[in-house]
Amino acid sequence: FFFSSFFLSLSLSAFLMSSSEAMPPTTSEPTLQSEPAEETVPVKKETSSMPAAAAPSPASVEVDAGDSDATAAPVNDEAQEAPQEVFSVCVTNSSGMMIKLQVSRVDTVHDIKQYLFEAKEMCYVTSYSLFAGHTKLLDFTALADLPDTWDHNLRMVEENYTERTAFHHVRRFRALLNPNDSTSSFYVDLTTSDCEKEFIQKSEAAAQAEAQVQVQAQAQAQVQAQAQAQAQAQAQAQAENGEVGSGATAESAQAETSTSADKKKSTASKAGKTKYQPKQKTKQQQQQQQAQLSKKARRRLAAEEEKKREEVVRAAFEKARQLDAILPTETPLLKRFFRDNSGFEARYASLQCLGGLRFSGWNPPPGGRRIKGDLFYLEVDLLEGKTLFVTAYTGGFFVNATTPQRFNPNPTDKPCHAHTLVGLLQQVSAKFTEKFQVLLADHFDKHPFEVLPVLQPVSRWLAPVQTHTYNLNRSEEVLFATTEAGFSDIKGHLREWNEDFQSLSMLPHETLPDRVTRDRNSYQVNCEFVAEAIRGVQNIVEGNVPAINPKEPEEMHMFVYGNVFYSNVCDARGTFKNQGGDRGARLAVNNDLRGVHLANQCDVEGLHTLGTVVVNYRGRRMVAQSIIPGILHQTNASNVLYGSIDGEDAAADPAFHEKIAELADHLYLKLHKIRSKNGQVVELYTSLDIKGVRGTDGRMYLMDLNRLTPRDPNYMSEENSLCCLRPELLTHYVVSRMEELQSEYAAKTRAAHDEIVKAQLEEDAAKKKDETKKSEEAEEQEQPTMVKLSEERQQALKEVTQTLHPELQEKITELRQNLRFNCDVFTETTLADEPEVIAADEAAVRDLGKFLVDRMIPRLVHSLTVNSVVSSDMLADMFHEHGVNLRYMGVVTKHLETNSKTNSEGTSSQYLPTMCLREMAARGARFAFAELCSSSTHTLDVFVRQFLNALMCPPPHLEHKRRKRSGRRRNAVHAFDLWAMIQSHLHEHYDYELQPNQISVIQSLPFLRSVCLKCGIVLKPKEYKLQNLKTSEVDRAAGIAEIFKPNDLMDLIPVVKYNTTQSRDGLEMMSIARQYMQQSMLQQSYQVLNEALGILSQVHGPIHQLTAQCYELLAAVLKAAEDPLQALFYQKKATLINERVLGMDHYSLVSAYQRLAQYYSAF
């Protein structure tokens, strides 16, 4: 988004010059000397580009000789190729200041401008051009296209303003003045840069103190050595003079001096050490030495050892006390979920640079002034108490002589002019100059990851209570429906989303730089489309957008807003009457979204899909799609070139058929014959419901991809006809079949080997007839591993291997070609193949269903039992990873309940059934929320409170008999009705009977969290009394418990489902790095991860889950290389990214905090 450029600017120094966060010092003998990959790379503004590739740091690793012969993970030449070459560019502004940037050849001039927006010195400059020598560079000129004679120097030249760019400049300046209104970095504690700085400062201070103590000990040792030398010289002189008695005295004095010196040295050594140092002598030597010591000496040594132990224990308690100050040990509370912002108002007031900045009432300029260059007028309230009237004209800004009563556009008597508003106000206000520098310093001191915007929507169910600040940018966006691009769009211009999607899919992708550019732009466009879809659904649900078919019922209304097509997800036209009505419509949309993702992954050239986003908001589910050119003006079915609309006519255009054949190879789709309702027989790869349309732009589009996988044969009722198997199941099934083939041929190879060895043994036995039976038996036991084959049998064994291996590869290829599934079996579509073929297709799909029940569900149950499942999100992810649909959660719950009864130990199997129950009940509550919200006449605040209070009503009050309608509040949500709907949902969708005594087990804080996340409810972080409610706290007539108060509801946000672009090259490199780690090849793993980090940073930006995963892998490599300080450095970044992207209570963030704690414990 355009206004996020300021928040991106807060990352400037750390990524431009590595000044905000220095690289932590390495250990004395580091195995890997690594520099943070992205510290030398500027972060680009997400609006148009992503950060440049990180330059892989040269890792100086001493690899053992054995590592060179180790089997390395397969790395192709393209994967080993560095993403882009990184080099420095010097940019000189109009005042002569030079800024040095780290860029790559794939970057454009526009990317460099985004870098400069993130620089502290340039964050408020918006209108300029860049020159290479005397040549003006266009914004989208790639640096690789510049001539070889370019000296890597650029010059900034100020450009005249237009009305659009001047508006942009003002809104940019407003964003600088109100940064805290839009940032959400109120939840960073252990992972902030301040904590790391404090940690490093304390470590350095401790090291300095220890070094100082050692220096003092050495000085004392030198003094004692000098005294000892003097005593020896004196004793020698006395001995020469014959003073024997004096010599004895000197010896005793020398011994006393030595003992005193040892004591002082021991004391100094103990003062400089905090850890107990193990003795160098062996235990036997210590026992011998103690036996020779006197009783008094042994007592003294024991006292010293006890003192050392006390020092170690005292140091440990001190560290624990310091850790307790950071991590409270008491029970965590929701009210402390976020950082305390009680001092925000005072801090915000102290950073106010202006009293106000607004557009003047004298706008627009009259015609006489417009032809002189005036664009608009501003009113600025200074902290000194004065109000200035400023003119924005083509050359910049100046103070005019206008007053509230009289319009005078001429400059004041003391002309004051500047190209930027900051430069103008610095000339007229000393307080502004002082406060503005403090404001920039305050925000640029933060860790860059704390303030960079998150492009993808973040799920949340708690929000801190924040002070509502005065912000004209925000009010103009909402009240006047301006775009978030900040007047950057031409008035009346609508973005062609479909053209953006399809043109990006046609970009070249043969080389790695091409794929990086393609993925980066695709990810950016997809994020912007998701944001546009969310904004459009919010406006539609709130009634701000008229329908394009207003004469039809409200359920059938369709909308076009921002050149995006919106429709309600419901069975308004009776299309899914036999598939469960609205439930069938929701299931079809979910399948369609999954089908779009599968088609995009296959990446068939010339075959296009629509941008699709599903949004749930205020109980309504809507689907947003990009518009196929000409589709809204086509009214007949003749435009469908593949598949059918209503089943009457079917088509299979040869051009479409050829492209879909490539798609079928990836998705294991079988070519089959179908018969339409008018008797027409056609051959299709996909289901008849999938439609192929050619737009007026000539491209081929696939629509309604709700059946790209076969139907689930375990749900054969008519209302479950839209239940399809997951694509992960097909992958597991294919892998299983290949493993069976490999096992079969491995058995054949072993059998052939055993036969050859047996023949060799028989031949050897015939040659040794004179040996005894006992020796023969002993020989038979040792010969299988020690037998020496003859040359003929060695050749025979080699021929067997050479014969079976190609045969195995041929069988695997044949399996891949023949393993195909008919997506129209067990559906209403009439198949026209031979009966034997249809029976074989049905048997193949049934085999899939049997594989799901017999193999994957037991495997899932085992995985759930042995792993620590900490949240409903992790539970759903594990279901999907095993290819098991969530509708099998009832079956899995029954398996877990059986295991928990047979296993009485306190393992994970005891709480897993309860977690599955909570997840099923939460999904039932989501359906109930949507149904009740659409029929409620209360305000949203009242309805949501009634819903939550009824949902958390304690079980004893659920058995209360419903009173007559006249005795209840009208349209109120009753707990009895709500839980009856949830029980019905569990019975219909999961085949599970929820018992009344299980409700009290379900009602808990995790259940509340899951329901809020699924319904988009955001609550205040406070302690809610969910159990042990008193009778006075329950309204029996209304059937609700008064748990949630009027001010507890903070917001109701959209819940979004969408597909996103992922860098395949980055994922492949991370997989290769894991293989290297498993083989202890740390240097190779580190290098590949650096390259992967560069690619992921370019494609997704620094604030993305995949980037965080790459940081975590880097931390693991460095920890294995015994470099804990740098491992902590990378893990801290990964944890901070996960906080921003996943939310504060995601299971991946919990794991990240655990690893962070482990790395901190190394110190």
Side-chain angles (χ1 to χ4, degrees):
F1 306 118
F2 197 81
F3 292 112
S4 62
S5 57
F6 167 66
F7 311 123
L8 284 167
S9 69
L10 302 181
S11 62
L12 48 109
S13 300
F15 288 84
L16 296 178
M17 304 300 295
S18 300
S19 60
S20 70
E21 184 174 3
M23 182 63 198
T26 58
T27 55
S28 57
E29 295 182 0
T31 308
L32 288 175
Q33 296 180 355
S34 62
E35 294 293 331
E38 97 326 313
E39 287 300 313
T40 59
V41 182
V43 176
K44 305 179 187 178
K45 183 175 180 291
E46 302 288 349
T47 306
S48 61
S49 57
M50 295 296 172
S57 303
S60 56
V61 184
E62 296 182 2
V63 184
D64 295 336
D67 292 343
S68 60
D69 297 332
T71 303
V75 183
N76 53 26
D77 297 336
E78 217 170 24
Q80 290 181 335
E81 177 189 358
Q84 282 89 26
E85 177 187 358
V86 178
F87 57 93
S88 299
V89 170
C90 294
V91 182
T92 306
N93 63 9
S94 57
S95 61
M97 180 183 299
M98 182 178 294
I99 302 176
K100 190 174 182 180
L101 307 175
Q102 297 291 328
V103 297
S104 62
R105 294 179 60 82
V106 74
D107 290 329
T108 64
V109 175
H110 184 72
D111 297 334
I112 295 180
K113 288 186 175 183
Q114 299 302 322
Y115 294 169
L116 295 175
F117 274 152
E118 299 153 19
K120 182 178 179 181
E121 301 79 9
M122 294 293 299
C123 59
Y124 50 83
V125 180
T126 60
S127 183
Y128 60 90
S129 296
L130 292 177
F131 281 74
H134 299 286
T135 304
K136 181 179 178 180
L137 303 180
L138 300 178
D139 280 353
F140 292 96
T141 300
L143 299 183
D145 297 336
L146 296 180
D148 296 336
T149 57
W150 177 48
D151 57 357
H152 294 184
N153 290 319
L154 296 176
R155 180 168 50 90
M156 293 178 56
V157 177
E158 296 175 349
E159 289 284 347
N160 285 340
Y161 288 99
T162 63
E163 184 177 358
R164 182 175 67 89
T165 58
F167 270 121
H168 161 216
H169 183 86
V170 173
R171 295 175 67 81
R172 169 74 170 176
F173 179 58
R174 281 179 176 173
L176 290 171
L177 298 180
N178 300 277
N180 293 302
D181 185 71
S182 301
T183 56
S184 300
S185 56
F186 22 70
Y187 44 79
V188 272
D189 295 321
L190 282 179
T191 57
T192 56
S193 57
D194 295 337
C195 180
E196 184 191 14
K197 291 177 182 177
E198 181 182 0
F199 175 77
I200 294 176
Q201 291 173 359
K202 288 182 178 180
S203 302
E204 293 177 351
Q208 292 177 0
E210 183 175 357
Q212 186 177 2
V213 170
Q214 292 178 356
V215 170
Q216 293 177 358
Q218 292 176 359
Q220 292 179 0
Q222 292 178 358
V223 172
Q224 297 298 332
Q226 292 176 0
Q228 184 177 0
Q230 293 177 0
Q232 290 177 354
Q234 183 179 1
Q236 185 177 2
Q238 291 177 356
E240 291 176 355
N241 295 332
E243 299 177 359
V244 179
S246 300
T249 306
E251 288 180 1
S252 62
Q254 178 181 352
E256 290 178 0
T257 304
S258 176
T259 304
S260 176
D262 292 340
K263 288 183 179 181
K264 292 181 179 180
K265 184 175 180 181
S266 175
T267 305
S269 176
K270 286 188 293 182
K273 298 180 181 180
T274 57
K275 294 184 178 180
Y276 178 71
Q277 300 294 332
K279 294 181 179 296
Q280 299 297 328
K281 297 181 180 180
T282 63
K283 186 175 181 180
Q284 184 178 2
Q285 292 175 346
Q286 293 176 4
Q287 291 177 353
Q288 293 177 357
Q289 183 179 4
Q290 289 180 0
Q292 296 173 359
L293 293 176
S294 63
K295 184 176 181 180
K296 184 177 180 181
R298 289 198 300 269
R299 193 178 302 161
R300 179 175 55 81
L301 289 176
E304 290 180 357
E305 295 293 336
E306 184 65 25
K307 189 176 181 180
K308 290 181 180 180
R309 295 191 191 97
E310 291 178 356
E311 290 179 358
V312 172
V313 173
R314 190 181 302 109
F317 273 108
E318 179 64 22
K319 289 184 178 180
R321 186 189 63 79
Q322 295 175 359
L323 184 62
D324 289 341
I326 303 175
L327 292 174
T329 56
E330 60 266 16
T331 304
L333 302 176
L334 288 182
K335 64 181 181 181
R336 290 201 300 267
F337 198 72
F338 298 99
R339 194 170 65 185
D340 184 18
N341 283 337
S342 57
F344 173 76
E345 294 184 4
R347 178 174 171 271
Y348 181 79
S350 65
L351 296 178
Q352 287 295 304
C353 303
L354 293 175
L357 174 63
R358 58 193 174 275
F359 288 94
S360 176
W362 297 108
N363 286 308
R369 294 300 306 179
R370 184 171 290 277
I371 62 176
K372 293 182 180 181
D374 289 3
L375 301 175
F376 52 82
Y377 305 112
L378 300 171
E379 295 181 14
V380 182
D381 298 331
L382 303 179
L383 295 179
E384 289 83 353
K386 296 169 54 178
T387 299
L388 299 181
F389 288 82
V390 178
T391 298
Y393 78 111
T394 55
F397 301 86
F398 67 86
V399 180
N400 60 44
T402 301
T403 64
Q405 295 79 21
R406 187 174 63 89
F407 176 70
N408 185 1
N410 297 316
T412 57
D413 296 337
K414 294 182 180 180
C416 185
H417 165 270
H419 189 261
T420 64
L421 272 173
V422 172
L424 178 70
L425 294 175
Q426 286 177 343
Q427 299 178 28
V428 298
S429 174
K431 290 186 178 181
F432 170 82
T433 304
E434 177 184 358
K435 292 291 186 70
F436 189 70
Q437 295 301 324
V438 174
L439 177 69
L440 293 182
D442 177 76
H443 289 284
F444 281 100
D445 188 54
K446 293 181 179 179
H447 193 287
F449 291 171
E450 296 182 37
V451 293
L452 288 174
V454 181
L455 293 188
Q456 295 179 335
V458 180
S459 300
R460 58 192 177 97
W461 68 285
L462 294 173
V465 180
Q466 289 185 282
T467 304
H468 194 63
T469 57
Y470 184 83
N471 191 329
L472 289 176
N473 281 357
R474 181 185 63 240
S475 63
E476 289 175 1
E477 286 179 12
V478 177
L479 298 179
F480 302 109
T482 58
T483 63
E484 289 200 9
F487 295 96
S488 64
D489 294 336
I490 302 174
K491 295 179 179 179
H493 173 73
L494 293 177
R495 183 170 180 176
E496 290 290 343
W497 293 105
N498 184 74
E499 183 63 27
D500 289 349
F501 279 114
Q502 313 315 331
S503 59
L504 287 174
S505 65
M506 299 173 66
L507 289 177
H509 51 277
E510 286 77 17
T511 63
L512 180 59
D514 289 342
R515 290 195 296 272
V516 168
T517 303
R518 182 194 190 199
D519 293 343
R520 176 179 62 182
N521 294 328
S522 298
Y523 174 74
Q524 173 200 338
V525 171
N526 186 75
C527 291
E528 293 172 353
F529 181 75
V530 171
E532 178 66 27
I534 294 173
R535 184 166 52 250
V537 170
Q538 287 178 312
N539 283 307
I540 291 171
V541 174
E542 292 169 2
N544 301 326
V545 180
I548 60 176
N549 55 340
K551 295 183 179 180
E552 296 186 9
E554 185 177 357
E555 294 79 9
M556 299 183 183
H557 281 179
M558 296 177 289
F559 306 86
V560 175
Y561 179 77
N563 218 13
V564 179
F565 178 77
Y566 299 88
S567 59
N568 292 299
V569 180
C570 61
D571 190 25
R573 303 180 184 275
T575 307
F576 305 98
K577 180 176 64 175
N578 298 328
Q579 289 83 22
D582 292 345
R583 172 178 175 261
R586 288 172 175 262
L587 191 57
V589 169
N590 290 340
N591 292 343
D592 182 34
L593 186 65
R594 189 185 307 140
V596 171
H597 177 65
L598 290 175
N600 291 338
Q601 279 188 325
C602 297
D603 196 15
V604 177
E605 185 176 358
L607 202 59
H608 303 271
T609 59
L610 304 180
T612 306
V613 178
V614 179
V615 184
N616 296 283
Y617 184 56
R618 296 187 179 182
R620 288 178 62 180
R621 172 170 288 194
M622 302 194 72
V623 57
Q625 295 175 306
S626 58
I627 303 175
I628 298 177
I631 192 66
L632 296 179
H633 306 288
Q634 298 175 358
T635 57
N636 51 29
S638 60
N639 300 302
V640 177
L641 302 180
Y642 200 87
S644 175
I645 290 182
D646 51 6
E648 295 290 341
D649 298 320
D653 182 74
F656 256 107
H657 197 74
E658 180 181 356
K659 293 297 181 182
I660 294 182
E662 300 180 29
L663 181 69
D665 290 338
H666 294 282
L667 301 180
Y668 305 103
L669 303 178
K670 183 180 180 181
L671 181 65
H672 58 280
K673 296 180 181 179
I674 62 98
R675 179 177 287 104
S676 63
K677 294 181 180 179
N678 59 8
Q680 183 183 4
V681 177
V682 295
E683 285 188 328
L684 300 175
Y685 281 102
T686 61
S687 172
L688 181 63
D689 299 333
I690 296 177
K691 306 166 187 62
V693 179
R694 188 183 297 275
T696 56
D697 57 356
R699 298 189 180 103
M700 292 182 287
Y701 296 90
L702 283 179
M703 301 172 56
D704 297 338
L705 302 176
N706 52 16
R707 193 169 280 155
L708 271 183
T709 54
R711 180 183 173 180
D712 192 342
N714 300 319
Y715 286 80
M716 294 300 295
S717 61
E718 185 178 8
E719 62 180 10
N720 292 321
S721 59
L722 291 173
C723 294
C724 298
L725 298 172
R726 292 193 63 85
E728 295 89 347
L729 179 67
L730 271 68
T731 303
H732 286 294
Y733 182 78
V734 173
V735 171
S736 176
R737 292 289 301 275
M738 290 182 180
E739 290 176 349
E740 291 176 0
L741 279 178
Q742 292 173 355
S743 300
E744 178 183 348
Y745 278 87
K748 290 183 180 180
T749 304
R750 285 194 299 270
H753 178 270
D754 294 343
E755 185 177 352
I756 293 175
V757 170
K758 183 179 179 181
Q760 184 69 42
L761 288 174
E762 292 176 353
E763 182 180 347
D764 294 343
K767 295 179 181 179
K768 299 179 180 179
K769 295 181 180 180
D770 55 339
E771 295 183 1
T772 63
K773 183 177 180 181
K774 183 176 180 181
S775 62
E776 290 177 356
E777 293 177 355
E779 190 179 54
E780 288 176 1
Q781 295 177 0
E782 297 179 0
Q783 282 294 340
T785 57
M786 303 296 295
V787 64
K788 183 177 180 180
L789 299 178
S790 63
E791 294 184 359
E792 296 179 357
R793 287 188 170 82
Q794 289 180 8
Q795 183 65 25
L797 183 61
K798 186 177 180 181
E799 291 177 356
V800 169
T801 304
Q802 291 178 350
T803 302
L804 290 179
H805 182 71
E807 185 178 349
L808 173 62
Q809 297 299 324
E810 183 180 353
K811 287 288 185 180
I812 291 177
T813 303
E814 182 181 355
L815 175 66
R816 289 177 176 174
Q817 293 177 352
N818 298 333
L819 198 60
R820 294 291 185 266
F821 301 99
N822 187 346
C823 293
D824 276 326
V825 296
F826 303 126
T827 65
E828 298 178 354
T829 304
T830 303
L831 299 176
D833 287 310
E834 298 297 329
E836 298 81 6
V837 176
I838 297 176
D841 293 344
E842 292 178 349
V845 175
R846 285 196 182 95
D847 192 26
L848 264 179
K850 188 175 184 297
F851 176 78
L852 170 62
V853 175
D854 296 343
R855 298 279 297 276
M856 296 312 300
I857 288 183
R859 190 181 302 177
L860 171 63
V861 172
H862 175 72
S863 299
L864 292 174
T865 306
V866 299
N867 293 294
S868 299
V869 184
V870 297
S871 68
S872 59
D873 308 325
M874 186 176 182
L875 182 68
D877 290 345
M878 292 187 69
F879 266 76
H880 294 162
E881 288 173 3
H882 288 77
V884 181
N885 302 82
L886 290 178
R887 58 177 168 268
Y888 286 93
M889 192 171 290
V891 177
V892 174
T893 304
K894 295 174 183 178
H895 280 279
L896 293 172
E897 289 175 345
T898 303
N899 293 345
S900 63
K901 292 178 182 179
T902 58
N903 187 4
S904 59
E905 298 179 359
T907 61
S908 60
S909 61
Q910 300 297 321
Y911 71 86
L912 283 173
T914 302
M915 182 175 289
C916 292
L917 277 177
R918 289 172 182 165
E919 180 64 13
M920 290 188 292
R923 292 178 178 272
R926 179 184 63 185
F927 280 90
F929 178 84
E931 183 176 345
L932 296 174
C933 187
S934 60
S935 60
S936 176
T937 59
H938 294 289
T939 62
L940 282 174
D941 175 67
V942 174
F943 165 74
V944 173
R945 282 193 293 108
Q946 289 181 354
F947 174 79
L948 292 178
N949 285 327
L951 187 68
M952 305 306 295
C953 183
H957 305 287
L958 294 178
E959 300 175 359
H960 180 70
K961 294 183 179 180
R962 299 172 57 186
R963 298 187 178 182
K964 296 182 179 180
R965 179 69 62 178
S966 58
R968 297 173 54 196
R969 287 186 284 184
R970 189 175 183 182
N971 291 324
V973 181
H974 196 282
F976 184 88
D977 299 333
L978 177 59
W979 279 102
M981 295 173 67
I982 295 175
Q983 289 174 325
S984 174
H985 177 82
L986 264 64
H987 173 72
E988 295 176 0
H989 292 255
Y990 304 106
D991 192 22
Y992 189 89
E993 299 295 337
L994 180 64
Q995 303 300 323
N997 59 355
Q998 294 177 314
I999 296 178
S1000 60
V1001 180
I1002 294 174
Q1003 291 173 330
S1004 59
L1005 189 61
F1007 176 64
L1008 176 64
R1009 170 188 178 271
S1010 183
V1011 172
C1012 290
L1013 287 175
K1014 290 175 173 56
C1015 298
I1017 301 173
V1018 182
L1019 298 175
K1020 181 189 296 185
K1022 57 175 286 188
E1023 303 312 307
Y1024 297 101
K1025 190 176 181 181
L1026 304 179
Q1027 295 178 350
N1028 301 325
L1029 293 176
K1030 299 179 182 179
T1031 305
S1032 59
E1033 296 174 331
V1034 178
D1035 188 346
R1036 289 182 173 270
I1040 59 176
E1042 296 296 336
I1043 301 174
F1044 301 92
K1045 308 302 179 183
N1047 294 328
D1048 291 342
L1049 181 63
M1050 301 296 295
D1051 200 357
L1052 199 61
I1053 61 175
V1055 180
V1056 193
K1057 291 184 178 181
Y1058 59 95
N1059 299 319
T1060 184
T1061 302
Q1062 290 185 339
S1063 173
R1064 296 184 182 179
D1065 296 290
L1067 292 173
E1068 180 183 355
M1069 287 185 177
M1070 289 171 64
S1071 176
I1072 293 172
R1074 290 189 181 96
Q1075 297 178 33
Y1076 279 140
M1077 287 180 62
Q1078 294 174 358
Q1079 300 171 10
S1080 300
M1081 304 173 67
L1082 300 182
Q1083 178 185 10
Q1084 291 83 348
S1085 178
Y1086 176 77
Q1087 291 175 345
V1088 174
L1089 283 175
N1090 261 310
E1091 296 174 6
L1093 181 61
I1095 293 176
L1096 295 174
S1097 297
Q1098 286 188 96
V1099 175
H1100 304 292
I1103 309 299
H1104 193 274
Q1105 188 177 4
L1106 291 180
T1107 311
Q1109 292 178 8
C1110 192
Y1111 277 127
E1112 289 183 343
L1113 288 176
L1114 277 170
V1117 170
L1118 291 168
K1119 184 177 184 295
E1122 298 182 356
D1123 195 347
L1125 191 58
Q1126 293 192 52
L1128 175 67
F1129 181 76
Y1130 283 108
Q1131 184 61 38
K1132 188 183 76 71
K1133 290 179 177 294
T1135 306
L1136 188 54
I1137 294 173
N1138 282 326
E1139 284 183 358
R1140 301 290 312 283
V1141 175
L1142 302 176
M1144 283 296 294
D1145 52 359
H1146 195 272
Y1147 68 89
S1148 296
L1149 181 61
V1150 175
S1151 302
Y1153 268 118
Q1154 290 176 346
R1155 285 186 286 270
L1156 184 66
Q1158 293 175 359
Y1159 296 155
Y1160 267 112
S1161 66
F1163 298 94

